[in-house]
Amino acid sequence: MTDLPVFREFRVESAREGLVHLVFDMPDRSMNVFSNAAIHELGRFAAWLRDSDVAGVVIRSGKSAFCAGADLNELGVAYDMIMQSPRGERGRVAYDHFFPLSQALRALETSGKPVAAAINGLALGGGCEFALAAHYRVLTDSPRTALGLPESLVGLLPGAGGTQRLPRLVGVAAALPVLLEGKRLSPVEAMLAGVADIVVPVGEEVAAAERWLLSKPRPTQPWDEPDWHKGDEPAALRTVEQARQAVLAASGDRYPAPLAILDCIAGGFPRPMDEAIAWEMDVFSRLIQRPEPRNMIQTLFLGKLEFEKRAKAASLPTELDTIETAILGALRFEIETGKAAGLPLDVIDAAVQELGIGAAAARLHTALPVPGAAAGSLVAGGESAGLWFEGVLTDPVQALAARLLARSAAAVSPYADRLAAADQRVIDYALVASLGFPAYLGGPFALRRYLGGSIPG
């Protein structure tokens, strides 16, 4: 047997009758996440496992939860690295950077050794994908335990096999709420769906996993069996297309992640797993180059965390209320300008809904109109991502919606130079949460940066 590699993010412990435990226990972290270091360690473990003489592996966590998913701070660094590469090389750079987790999980499930996951606490995102790559999944009967793939909620897709393994386990229709809406599965829901094999009381999960491993199970995933049948493939693909039409009807192509997830399923479900995960990574590598995922991570994850921390400490930016009032006033001014120019009320209402700020409609109607910079066509200050508002808009609803966006960005301009980036991120989150500002744009400050810091007139 080859020597066991040295690990820092994981540790390997010997157990009874030739079993080993792979314990995910990142030092100096309260929660396990898939950092680059953890990903490459997992790949080295899977390579070692194939040539080892162990009887089986229990995957478990050394924390109070299993794994929360990706390291989103590292993800932001990776985004910058990708976007700083020549345009024609970005897809390859993204693929090469992110595919190692998929490769590690695939190597784990094809190692020829049985692998059981003992899950207590949350297993989200990459943590859920880690569990899905095990041959057997034990969940604790605890309200803190859940499986989920929430990547779409921050503009991404599960890029380590989640869009491929989950539909194969539970069927496409049952997988879609988890993949598209971020639905979490409780232990009982996971077992009924076929994701979990058994639910046990807290403290008994490791023993249950070991019992299964010592029963000498076949160490093969269902989709790797020669006689595996994935069910009614045409019906599954029709389900995907129906979901695509529902997404387009609800939000158009404003949020590209749900559509990319559906592309992953449609293109990957008919293929063998090795080809399917490569296809998934192709789609992921295109999606990660878009501004929407970065905006949503910065605002809905990092901005939200910082907002909640500072709200608890009563240390939110002092400019928050003033900026919110300025934006409402600027939007009201543009709406009143439109009315004076003869815009029908149904066009105005539709534009407000188009932006997703309908929840703030009552506050808009009572806001004091505040004149600002005249709103013209919105154009990226740097490289364009081809967002819907760029260029000449002939549809009156979209044209007004774009002018409302311009007013919002103009309203925060006086504060941009004197507020730190962290303050801007907190305020962006607050405005997304309170006004319904489009999350895919990240907030008015993020939009202003996209426009190069200047608002056209």
Side-chain angles (χ1 to χ4, degrees), residues 31-32 34 59 116 132 168 177 236 422:
M31 181 78 75
N32 292 322
F34 269 117
I59 300 169
L132 292 175
R168 284 164 171 77

Side-chain angles (χ1 to χ4, degrees), residues 364-428:
L364 273 175
H365 292 317
T366 59
L368 180 66
V370 178
S377 299
L378 298 180
V379 180
E383 184 177 303
S384 171
L387 296 175
W388 64 269
F389 52 74
E390 297 184 65
V392 178
L393 299 172
T394 57
D395 177 81
V397 172
Q398 289 196 344
L400 175 57
R403 291 197 298 275
L404 292 172
L405 286 178
R407 292 288 182 187
S408 299
V412 300
S413 289
Y415 305 90
D417 291 336
R418 66 175 187 256
L419 283 175
D423 289 335
Q424 293 185 30
R425 191 163 56 235
V426 166
I427 293 172
D428 271 345

